[in-house]
């Protein structure tokens, strides 16, 4: 029951993009077309879960027993950066189709704070292994959901008459604000 | 030379002020600007990291092989961020608690890596540090501005001091999550309006 609660909370109520403000640079960058948004969402899901498993293991079995928590920032970013590189190399070799679909987005993910943010939140809340898996996948799904919905809205936005000064990023941010307002409606489900 | 230093110093304050002109580093700009104080604290922390990382990257630019440069920059930046994190926990504990995970997240703030790659890797140390200082100061200024707007209208106070009378009903919307997006969107539009009015080149696309 707790796990279901955790999943709903991470996907909708505390949506990583709209309520925790993580990963906004790619959110505005790749949400101009629905296709790229779907690709990015898939890549994020893949990398977030993988990175969470690795950072959780290192944090629980190495950093914590030896009281090295202050090295958290340094180790996490190194793990994520090398993991992304590794995944890119393996995909290139083993699965050409998947690489063609995700390749471009993988490189961008290193500097996506959503991946790092999820890893830090897991370490901060000291989640168990199962809870960590649920939390990371639910967060990534929530990110993907918001990204794809937003891309859909932005495709329509191109066709509408927007005041000249509001064009581009400005109107995108206001739209994201309205979407965040809509997501606040989920707050009654779990807190 | 002096001219160049001066123009680099002032560029960050208007010509490439983040996150409005350089649309980078939006996450902290949205997340920690509930109040002017938080915005200023985050801005100063980022400026500190940016200045020193630009200096270090620039000093090492001829030694770091270009193939592994991004990874090397990340190690430099992460080290500096860890220092900031420890310092803030020691001297500004309440602020550090409020900023929470957004302090370690300075590592993935695209401004820092962006300036390292875009400026410090091609220029000597002194001018790179000035560039970091100027872009960092611009960022701190923007964050304080965003924080002020949200705090004044969303909570009726500025740096914790009440500005309106008792009868003022604060717009709580502005201090909650959606308010952040709308505030930055509106400020960005104002900035565009002003640039167009002055006849500057339109950068926002």
């Amino acid at each position: 029951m707790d796990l279901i609660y955790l999943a709903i909370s991470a996907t909708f109520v505390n949506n990583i993009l709209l309520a925790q403000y993580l990963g906004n640079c790619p959110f505005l960058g790749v949400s101009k077309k629905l296709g790229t948004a779907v690709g990015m969402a898939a890549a994020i899901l893949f990398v977030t879960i993988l990175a969470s498993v690795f950072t959780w293991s290192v944090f629980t079995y190495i950093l914590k027993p030896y009281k090295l928590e202050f090295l958290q920032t340094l180790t996490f970013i190194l793990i994520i950066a090398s993991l992304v590189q590794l995944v890119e190399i393996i995909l290139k070799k083993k699965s050409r189709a998947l690489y063609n679909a995700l390749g471009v987005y993988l490189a961008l993910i290193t500097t996506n704070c959503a991946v790092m943010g999820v890893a830090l939140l897991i370490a901060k809340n000291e989640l168990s292994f199962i809870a960590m898996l649920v939390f990371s996948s639910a967060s990534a799904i929530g990110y993907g959901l918001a990204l794809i919905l937003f891309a859909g809205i932005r495709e329509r936005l191109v066709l509408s008459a927007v005041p000249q000064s509001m064009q581009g990023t400005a109107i995108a941010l206001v739209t994201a604000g309205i979407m965040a307002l809509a997501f606040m409606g989920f707050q009654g489900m779990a807190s | 030379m002096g001219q160049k230093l001066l123009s680099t110093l002032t560029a960050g304050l208007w010509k490439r002020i983040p996150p409005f002109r350089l649309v980078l580093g939006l996450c902290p700009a949205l997340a920690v600007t509930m109040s002017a104080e938080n915005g200023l604290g985050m801005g100063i922390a980022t400026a500190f990291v940016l200045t020193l990382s630009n200096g270090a990257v620039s000093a090492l630019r001829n030694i770091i092989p270009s193939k592994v440069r991004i990874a090397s920059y990340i190690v430099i930046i992460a080290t500096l961020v860890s220092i900031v994190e420890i310092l803030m926990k020691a001297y500004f504990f309440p602020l550090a608690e409020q900023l929470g995970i957004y302090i370690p997240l300075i590592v993935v703030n695209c401004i820092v890596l962006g300036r390292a790659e875009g400026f410090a890797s091609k220029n000597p140390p002194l001018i790179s540090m000035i560039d970091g200082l100027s872009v960092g100061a611009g960022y701190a200024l923007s964050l304080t501005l965003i924080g002020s707007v949200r705090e004044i209208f969303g909570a009726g106070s500025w740096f914790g001091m009440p500005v309106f009378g008792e009868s003022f009903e604060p717009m709580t919307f502005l201090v909650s999550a959606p308010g952040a997006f709308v505030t930055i969107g509106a400020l960005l539009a104002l900035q565009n309006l002003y640039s167009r009015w002055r006849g500057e080149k339109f950068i926002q696309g």
Side-chain angles (χ1 to χ4, degrees), chain A residues 20-21 28 73 113 165 169, chain B residues 26-27 85 102 177 192-193 204:
Chain A
Q20 315 244 26
Y21 322 94
L28 293 168
T73 314
C113 40
S165 304
T169 320
Chain B
L26 271 177
C27 307
E85 206 182 338
Y102 295 99
N192 283 343
L193 198 65
Q204 275 304 303

Side-chain angles (χ1 to χ4, degrees), chain A residues 18 20-25 28 73-74 77-78 110-111 113 116-117 120 164-166 168-170 173 176-177 180-181 184, chain B residues 26-27 30-31 74-75 78-79 85 101-102 104-105 107-108 110 113 173 177-178 180-181 184-185 188-189 192-193 196 204-205:
Chain A
L18 296 169
Q20 315 244 26
Y21 322 94
L22 295 169
N24 272 290
C25 303
L28 293 168
T73 314
L74 197 62
I77 189 69
L78 282 179
T110 317
T111 50
C113 40
M116 177 90 171
L120 287 169
Q164 226 178 345
S165 304
M166 290 289 279
T169 320
L173 279 166
L181 202 60
M184 273 177 91
Chain B
L26 271 177
C27 307
L30 290 161
I74 287 180
V75 175
T79 314
E85 206 182 338
I101 62 164
Y102 295 99
L105 283 178
V107 177
V108 281
C110 357
L113 199 61
F173 164 73
F181 288 102
I184 297 189
L188 197 63
N192 283 343
L193 198 65
R196 287 223 336 255
Q204 275 304 303

Side-chain angles (χ1 to χ4, degrees), chain A residues 10-12 15-18 136-147 183:
Chain A
T11 318
F12 296 109
N15 186 290
I16 193 150
L17 194 74
L18 296 169
S136 61
S137 42
S139 296
I141 289 168
Y143 187 93
L145 183 73
L147 188 67
F183 265 72

Side-chain angles (χ1 to χ4, degrees), chain A residues 113-178:
Chain A
C113 40
V115 180
M116 177 90 171
V118 169
L120 287 169
L121 282 174
I122 289 168
K124 195 179 152 209
N125 297 329
E126 304 193 339
L127 297 178
S128 67
F129 185 74
I130 304 289
M132 176 274 290
L133 277 184
V134 172
F135 181 78
S136 61
S137 42
S139 296
I141 289 168
Y143 187 93
L145 183 73
L147 188 67
I148 292 166
L149 285 176
F150 188 63
I153 298 175
R154 257 188 121 171
E155 282 194 344
R156 300 289 296 266
L157 217 54
V158 176
L159 302 171
S160 48
V162 177
Q164 226 178 345
S165 304
M166 290 289 279
Q167 270 167 15
T169 320
I171 191 72
L173 279 166
V174 174
T175 314
I178 296 168

